[in-house]
Amino acid sequence: DQQVKQNSPSLSVQEGRISILNCDYTNSMFDYFLWYKKYPAEGPTFLISISSIKDKNEDGRFTVFLNKSAKHLSLHIVPSQPGDSAVYFCAASGSTGNQFYFGTGTSLTVIP
Amino acid sequence: DGGITQSPKYLFRKEGQNVTLSCEQNLNHDAMYWYRQDPGQGLRLIYYSQIVNDFQKGDIAEGYSVSREKKESFPLTVTSAQKNPTAFYLCASSIGRDSYEQYFGPGTRLTVT
């Protein structure tokens, strides 16, 4: 059973506009959430994280929002750039951080 | 240059053969992980190790084995018991317990025919 879900397999956005990637989870014990970016034939690279005690974390053009009551998080990229085109995975973990559960990924295409 | 090395990038094997995937890190990280990625699916955890000489099964450990004899090395053996071994395998490491950020290697694409 998929505990972390990314329901949009793909997203296309015009350069300069906002990209919003969504992620839902089912386990209320998840305490820590991360976003990873992945290019083809490469390993994922860490992008941004948020713990359950916060509802927002910002790093440059990237902002992650967490809505614990809805078990939903989103990644906002503003402004979107062609180099942002990649697959984005969200991941969630309990408090020990021993095991992460990954979503299926959303492929973002930023159109120049 | 610190990082995680996985070799080879592409690996081909005949059905019924065991194959070992290499993962080495020079980040001085305590924890290491193996994931499998299949088309249209997220990363699924095979095994993880928090310290040397100790490892735990993840969600899909059947048909796989690991060892952690050295801090920097965490090889994964795909045995002939693994029913669908063809996949993209990713190794990751993190500083250790209570550290959530994982650093990933470039991956090994294994094809078994």
Side-chain angles (χ1 to χ4, degrees):
Chain A
D1 190 28
Q2 194 81 17
Q3 296 195 51
V4 178
K5 298 178 184 178
Q6 293 176 259
N7 292 319
S8 298
S10 62
L11 175 68
S12 289
V13 170
Q14 209 70 34
E15 181 178 3
R17 307 293 289 267
I18 185 171
S19 294
I20 300 176
L21 294 91
N22 294 305
C23 180
D24 297 292
Y25 61 96
T26 57
N27 189 338
S28 58
M29 300 301 289
F30 285 151
D31 222 21
Y32 206 79
F33 306 87
L34 302 92
W35 284 93
Y36 283 88
K37 178 179 178 179
K38 183 181 181 302
Y39 293 114
E42 293 183 11
T45 53
F46 170 75
L47 198 54
I48 193 168
S49 64
I50 189 167
S51 74
S52 58
I53 61 172
K54 293 186 173 183
D55 55 17
K56 176 182 173 181
N57 189 26
E58 197 170 345
D59 184 1
R61 296 185 297 114
F62 302 91
T63 303
V64 56
F65 295 92
L66 175 63
N67 183 334
K68 283 200 73 177
S69 60
K71 295 193 185 71
H72 176 83
L73 64 154
S74 61
L75 174 68
H76 292 210
I77 306 173
V78 182
S80 301
Q81 299 174 354
D84 296 329
S85 297
V87 177
Y88 290 79
F89 290 97
C90 67
S93 170
S95 57
T96 61
N98 284 341
Q99 186 157 345
F100 279 86
Y101 295 87
F102 284 77
T104 52
T106 296
S107 177
L108 172 66
T109 302
V110 180
I111 304 162
Chain B
D1 222 6
I4 300 178
T5 305
Q6 289 186 247
S7 60
K9 198 167 180 67
Y10 299 96
L11 192 53
F12 298 89
R13 280 292 182 271
K14 294 246 185 259
E15 196 174 319
Q17 292 179 335
N18 290 356
V19 58
T20 297
L21 281 61
S22 163
C23 178
E24 304 278 330
Q25 54 100 357
N26 60 4
L27 300 166
N28 200 32
H29 285 173
D30 284 325
M32 297 186 75
Y33 309 80
W34 273 106
Y35 292 91
R36 167 182 173 141
Q37 186 187 14
D38 294 284
Q41 296 202 34
L43 281 64
R44 292 183 292 165
L45 183 65
I46 304 172
Y47 268 99
Y48 65 96
S49 167
Q50 296 285 357
I51 55 172
V52 173
N53 292 323
D54 185 54
F55 46 83
Q56 307 294 329
K57 292 181 180 180
D59 292 329
I60 55 166
E62 187 175 344
Y64 299 98
S65 66
V66 292
S67 62
R68 187 84 188 279
E69 296 175 3
K70 298 186 295 183
K71 186 175 184 178
E72 58 271 22
S73 178
F74 191 40
L76 173 75
T77 297
V78 184
T79 75
S80 55
Q82 168 49 234
K83 292 187 174 22
N84 296 298
T86 294
F88 187 54
Y89 290 88
L90 285 158
C91 178
S93 70
S94 68
I95 291 173
R97 194 177 295 277
D98 298 331
S99 171
Y100 297 93
E101 184 180 334
Q102 295 184 2
Y103 295 81
F104 283 83
T108 292
R109 182 163 298 282
L110 172 66
T111 302
V112 177
T113 56

